[in-house]
Amino acid sequence: MKYAIVYSSQTGNTKMIAEAISKVFTKEECLYFGEPNYEKTKDADVIFAGFWTDKGSCSSVLIDYFSQLHNKQIVLFGTCGYGGSEAYYDSILQRVSALIEDDCTYVDGFMCQGKMPIEIRERYEMKMAEAPEKTKKMIDNFDQASVHPNEDDIRKAFAFAQIIKHSFE
Ligand SMILES: Cc1cc2nc3c(=O)[nH]c(=O)nc-3n(C[C@H](O)[C@H](O)[C@H](O)COP(=O)(O)O)c2cc1C
């Protein structure tokens, strides 16, 4: 099996997960590691595709990339600002996997929380007087996210990729 790992990462969280996943593969097994690039991944059998969550889905870079892929096994991984809910992670994976072409196979997906830019917290703070309860929850979530991806997320991503690799052996 030939593998490729692509990722779209604005602030580095998803890249961290991509790096953890890459450690599962030898140089011979992994044809490519980097930004989505059809030409460089067209000979891979299994593609790990990573995304940062943008309004509940993945960025347009990945949508364009998925439209070029045919007859591939696709494994998703992503990071998102909201954490702690498997149901939320699943809903994102479901939305993103629906963007994969019908002749590709969606294998499985991994998600974890990822820190957000400080401007988002500042925007929340401005809403504190307006909706204190809701805003406090959002600020608490922001602060929880600020330490992710952490070592546990990295370890889980690595273990996830190992399971996927074994499933193709
Ligand atoms: C414009 C924008 C939109 C976002 N939309 C969402 C969203 O809908 N849901 C969510 O959970 N996180 C959202 N986030 C948070 C990011 O997905 C999260 O911080 C992610 O880990 C960033 O990954 P990166 O460092 O690889 O770019 C958004 C962040 C930005 C800047």
Side-chain angles (χ1 to χ4, degrees):
M1 280 287 169
K2 291 288 177 196
Y3 297 85
I5 302 165
V6 304
Y7 58 87
S8 163
S9 182
Q10 271 201 324
T11 61
N13 297 332
T14 313
K15 187 176 180 199
M16 281 171 74
I17 300 300
E19 280 164 355
I21 289 172
S22 75
K23 298 210 163 71
V24 169
F25 302 100
T26 63
K27 277 201 172 129
E28 290 71 37
E29 287 167 335
C30 187
L31 294 180
Y32 176 75
F33 176 88
E35 304 275 314
N37 183 315
Y38 172 71
E39 278 304 315
K40 293 193 172 155
T41 55
K42 68 179 181 348
D43 295 330
D45 307 296
V46 184
I47 299 177
F48 282 76
F51 61 92
W52 65 279
T53 305
D54 185 4
K55 297 177 203 76
S57 186
C58 64
S59 60
S60 57
V61 178
L62 268 177
I63 298 176
D64 291 348
Y65 176 68
F66 287 147
S67 71
Q68 295 176 289
L69 295 182
H70 296 283
N71 303 307
K72 303 286 184 203
Q73 305 279 337
I74 300 180
V75 183
L76 294 177
F77 61 98
T79 63
C80 61
Y82 290 99
S85 160
E86 286 300 325
Y88 180 66
Y89 294 161
D90 286 346
S91 71
I92 296 169
L93 287 170
Q94 206 175 354
R95 210 166 296 133
V96 176
S97 62
L99 301 167
I100 293 169
E101 294 291 317
D102 288 346
D103 57 6
C104 289
T105 305
Y106 170 54
V107 180
D108 204 351
F110 171 86
M111 294 284 304
C112 72
Q113 201 171 15
K115 60 187 114 35
M116 292 172 275
I118 193 69
E119 294 75 34
I120 291 185
R121 195 182 200 280
E122 287 163 0
R123 237 178 287 150
Y124 293 160
E125 281 166 5
M126 290 198 292
K127 291 191 178 153
M128 199 52 149
E130 217 176 280
E133 231 172 274
K134 187 178 166 205
T135 307
K136 189 180 177 309
K137 276 192 190 149
M138 288 164 92
I139 289 180
D140 286 349
N141 177 75
F142 180 97
D143 292 343
Q144 272 166 26
S146 67
V147 294
H148 290 272
N150 63 16
E151 272 180 31
D152 195 43
D153 299 322
I154 298 293
R155 192 180 49 73
K156 284 181 180 156
F158 179 83
F160 167 76
Q162 271 187 321
I163 290 168
I164 300 287
K165 185 183 168 183
H166 289 149
S167 75
F168 283 109
E169 281 169 359

